[in-house]
Amino acid sequence: MSASINLYCEEGCELAISEDELSRVFDLVLSEEGVERTCLVSVSVLGEQSMQALNGEWRGIEAPTDVISLECERPDDPDLGPEEPCELGDIAMAPAVLAAQSARFGTTPADEARLMAIHSLLHLLGYDHIEERDARVMEAREDELLALACGREVVHVATTRHDDDTPLPAPADDAGDGEDA
């Protein structure tokens, strides 16, 4: 169980984590999800304009977004041979959007990139967050996997509910609300 990543970075775009770490995060998710075959994943790291065009094409939303996952095959597809790798799908990530989100959520760009890598791979494995119950399941799994990927507990941020791509309000000043960022 491993991920074979085909990484494309648009000129001037770079994730806050290395390709090796991205691969490590994907391998962790696949292992924790019990996937026993090699999975091929294409990852495109895009600027905001390219991500907005992709978001418009696939989701009908004319705004940049953090990540888009496009499923191809499932690891348990009965049509796949026992040793045949699974073409899991395509993931597009926008580092500028991730960096802005990390500032709003009080996390680091690297933690946001890890979270969105986990989030997008879970989508490719069949998780969704359209229904409230499914969103709670997906968010809990993201929290578990992110803590394993980071080697420490992380603060939960509800990120899976994309009702629209309206920017979130900036966080309030830390006035002793008792929550660590």
Side-chain angles (χ1 to χ4, degrees):
M1 99 250 49
S2 66
S4 177
I5 299 174
N6 179 14
L7 181 65
Y8 164 78
C9 292
E10 190 173 77
E11 188 174 335
C13 296
E14 185 176 330
L15 278 179
I17 60 175
S18 69
E19 183 175 355
D20 286 345
E21 184 168 3
L22 182 63
S23 180
R24 184 183 64 78
V25 168
F26 283 177
D27 287 348
L28 172 81
V29 171
L30 293 172
S31 175
E32 291 294 315
E33 287 295 305
V35 176
E36 296 182 3
R37 74 170 65 240
T38 298
C39 292
L40 310 175
V41 182
S42 293
V43 178
S44 297
V45 180
L46 304 175
E48 288 181 83
Q49 284 185 318
S50 297
M51 186 58 103
Q52 179 171 329
L54 195 62
N55 201 22
E57 178 181 344
W58 287 97
R59 297 178 61 222
I61 299 172
E62 296 301 326
T65 190
D66 49 9
V67 65
I68 294 176
S69 303
L70 304 169
E71 183 183 329
C72 189
E73 295 179 322
R74 293 277 175 93
D76 59 356
D77 185 332
D79 292 335
L80 293 174
E83 299 300 316
E84 185 178 358
C86 168
E87 291 187 43
L88 204 50
D90 300 317
I91 295 170
M93 301 176 85
V97 176
L98 297 177
Q101 283 180 182
S102 73
R104 285 195 309 267
F105 293 138
T107 63
T108 67
D111 280 348
E112 193 68 18
R114 285 181 201 100
L115 175 61
M116 289 299 104
I118 291 166
H119 177 88
S120 60
L121 197 61
L122 287 176
H123 271 308
L124 296 182
L125 292 170
Y127 284 78
D128 208 344
H129 49 79
I130 295 171
E131 301 295 326
E132 182 68 24
R133 180 182 168 282
D134 295 336
R136 283 193 305 270
V137 168
M138 187 170 182
E139 287 171 356
R141 190 63 174 144
E142 288 170 350
D143 287 347
E144 293 168 7
L145 293 167
L146 186 59
L148 290 172
C150 294
R152 59 183 157 73
E153 288 298 315
V154 292
V155 173
H156 169 76
V157 179
T159 58
T160 58
R161 296 182 188 122
H162 295 282
D163 293 332
D164 60 31
D165 282 322
T166 304
L168 298 173
D173 294 0
D174 184 14
D177 61 3
E179 292 184 19
D180 294 306

